Amino acid sequence: MKIKLPHICFFGCGVIAARHAKLLKKLYPKIEISFASRSISKAKAYTSAYKGSIGFGNYQEAAESDLFDIAFITTPPSSHYELAMLNANNRKDIIVEKPVARNLKELSGLEKAVSKNNVRFTVAENYLYKSFLKRIRLYIRKGYIGSPLFIELNKTNRDTMV
């Protein structure tokens, strides 16, 4: 059974968008990605650099497009709420970098828009790449903790580079 990969449009063309785009293309070479920016030249430059499909010159145009499935919001945090609302109201599934919003009022409004428009919403989390997971994987490989079926981590300390 062949799985259809979603077409992801990055909202924002900065360091975080570049990291995610590079990793996505490495993990899923055939995935379609696009870029939206306030600057068409920046969107086109990222589209070219990361083998994307489309470069949008403004966020409104991108959100209204039917050419992608998921909006991945990688802009500075001050614009997360506005862009998440724009995409929810255009019935786009959404991934947003942390923090989702600046306060509980924004978060509540976003929750209502996501529910009303029946879209999926998630916060980008990078536990897959955290350094402490190397040690956990080592313990699993060596058989120290057996074959896990499910792992739930609650971590209270800060990471250091290992």
Side-chain angles (χ1 to χ4, degrees):
M1 179 175 163
K2 188 175 180 179
I3 296 172
K4 181 191 177 296
L5 295 172
H7 182 153
I8 298 173
C9 182
F10 290 93
F11 279 65
C13 295
V15 173
I16 300 302
R19 273 191 205 155
H20 284 295
K22 187 176 178 182
L23 182 61
L24 275 172
K25 282 295 192 174
K26 181 179 178 182
L27 293 173
Y28 308 99
K30 294 184 188 249
I31 195 166
E32 277 194 82
I33 59 174
S34 292
F35 295 90
S37 177
R38 294 174 296 178
S39 158
I40 188 66
S41 61
K42 196 161 194 181
K44 286 185 176 184
Y46 268 61
T47 300
S48 175
Y50 299 102
K51 300 180 179 90
S53 303
I54 307 160
F56 295 98
N58 69 67
Y59 298 133
Q60 183 76 38
E61 174 192 5
E64 291 174 354
S65 170
D66 290 330
L67 300 174
F68 65 92
D69 307 302
I70 299 172
F72 195 152
I73 301 168
T74 61
T75 56
S78 61
S79 61
H80 287 181
Y81 170 74
E82 178 186 341
L83 291 175
M85 289 294 287
L86 176 65
N87 280 285
N89 289 327
N90 279 282
R91 292 185 166 74
K92 299 289 185 201
D93 291 330
I94 303 162
I95 302 169
V96 66
E97 278 293 329
K98 302 168 295 299
V100 173
R102 292 172 287 197
N103 54 53
L104 290 174
K105 183 179 178 183
E106 286 183 354
L107 188 59
S108 177
L110 185 53
E111 182 181 24
K112 288 175 186 165
V114 164
S115 180
K116 174 186 168 194
N117 292 298
N118 195 31
V119 297
R120 295 178 295 175
F121 181 93
T122 192
V123 180
E125 186 51 75
N126 59 357
Y127 273 95
L128 185 60
Y129 315 108
K130 296 285 186 179
S131 58
F132 69 87
L133 285 178
K134 290 178 185 175
R135 184 158 303 186
I136 292 172
R137 287 186 189 108
L138 174 69
Y139 291 168
I140 292 169
R141 267 196 318 277
K142 291 193 174 214
Y144 296 160
I145 60 173
S147 298
L149 298 175
F150 178 82
I151 296 176
E152 180 176 330
L153 301 172
N154 293 301
K155 201 163 164 291
T156 58
N157 66 309
R158 297 210 181 267
D159 286 338
T160 56
M161 297 306 283
V162 176

